[in-house]
Amino acid sequence: MKTTTYQIYTSISQLPDSWDPVAHDNAFLQTPYLKVLENAAPTNMKCFYIGIFQNTELAGVALSQYLDLNKLESFGERDKCLKTFIRNFIFKNFASHVLFLGNNMITGQNCYAFNKPIDLKTISDLLLECADEIKNYFKKQNITIHIISFKDFYQEYAQPLKKFGFQSIYEFNTQPNMVFELPTHWHNDEDYIKAFSKKYRDQYKRAQNKIKGIEIRELSLDEVIANEDRIYQLYRYVAKNAPFNTFFLDKHHFSSFKQQCGERFVLCGYFLNQKLVGFHTLLLNGNVLETYFLGYDDKIQKEKMLYLNMLYNMTKFGIDHKFRKIIFGRTALEIKSSIGAQPVVMSGFIYHTNKWINKLMPVIFPKLEPESVWQQRHPFK
């Protein structure tokens, strides 16, 4: 009978040699990406890497992230209202030390990977045990973890987890993950454009006319480094104007990503009169294309419809390179649906380590989560 155990690591240098073969189905759990987190993580983040063993053989890997929200100068500056003020006050004082089992920086089920089948009861037990061990790690440093969250599970995983160790933990569904399942009969962007109804084909043509004069090209590592200050400036503008943030990327995050992941990481620049005015990024994750962070000059974005054109360009890349689907993530749900992405419900599980506050989680959490009101678009004939 196989015995399942785990080991928690605090450095990439400690990981077993078999780590990447076990994580081979998910680039967000492989060491090149994990090195990006280790070398250029947000300043308020610390990562933990979990090896799961059956007897002495590594059978699974997982990621955990600790966030200290006290180190954050802003949770997001777009929404100025009393509700936002109250929410920020509560986070600072009662929820500033947060532990995630999973990756808080991206959308999708990127918490763990296994190289062989393992039952969800064992997975739920392992995740809960790892959370307790990391919580105790911080307790020894006189740091109290306020909130523990298990992040992003598709419904076919979330429902069974609720039958086991997660049954008493509050389940939440925030904004859906926008996913574009690419039809296999689309071979190029012409097939994509032909599939639009007239209204959305006109939208596409209008966006293409607006972006004339913008040079769009993929940047090499040297070019990413040369444009690092400007890239970060554009990223910060978009990040600070989001409704809510729990981190800001390190200035060297994108160059570190390109250095570690090479051709699997694509940073595409948008230039006007040789000045960088926008960029988007992609990670090639097997047969899935993952959209990552982007940035833009707001004045140019409005004039040239940069964001919409970025969405079209990422979709074209996915079609041209034969990806099965594109993960567009949360935020900007309506415009993402207008280019073809569909909402996919994802669940998370969360609890407060103070049992009295935790009892109120079903009441408190919905009031803290920014409300999302949007209309899904249906762009195809």
Side-chain angles (χ1 to χ4, degrees), residues 21 27 59 61 70 72 119 168 206 218 249 254 284 288 315 363 378:
V61 300
N70 288 316
L72 209 61
D119 64 278
S168 61
R206 185 165 63 253
E218 184 178 338
L249 296 177
F254 297 105
L284 285 56
V288 176
T315 301
V363 176
H378 303 279

Side-chain angles (χ1 to χ4, degrees), residues 78-131:
R78 191 189 73 183
D79 299 336
K80 305 287 187 181
C81 61
L82 181 60
K83 180 179 177 181
T84 302
F85 174 80
I86 294 171
R87 180 198 68 194
N88 292 352
F89 176 82
I90 291 172
F91 267 96
K92 281 284 188 181
N93 291 277
F94 301 101
S96 56
H97 301 300
V98 185
L99 181 66
F100 290 94
L101 273 291
N103 192 330
N104 185 52
M105 298 170 64
I106 53 178
T107 304
Q109 191 164 306
N110 298 294
C111 179
Y112 56 77
F114 290 89
N115 64 356
K116 56 188 66 178
I118 186 165
D119 64 278
L120 284 169
K121 182 184 186 305
T122 301
I123 291 175
S124 68
D125 291 344
L126 285 167
L127 294 177
L128 291 166
E129 288 174 24
C130 289

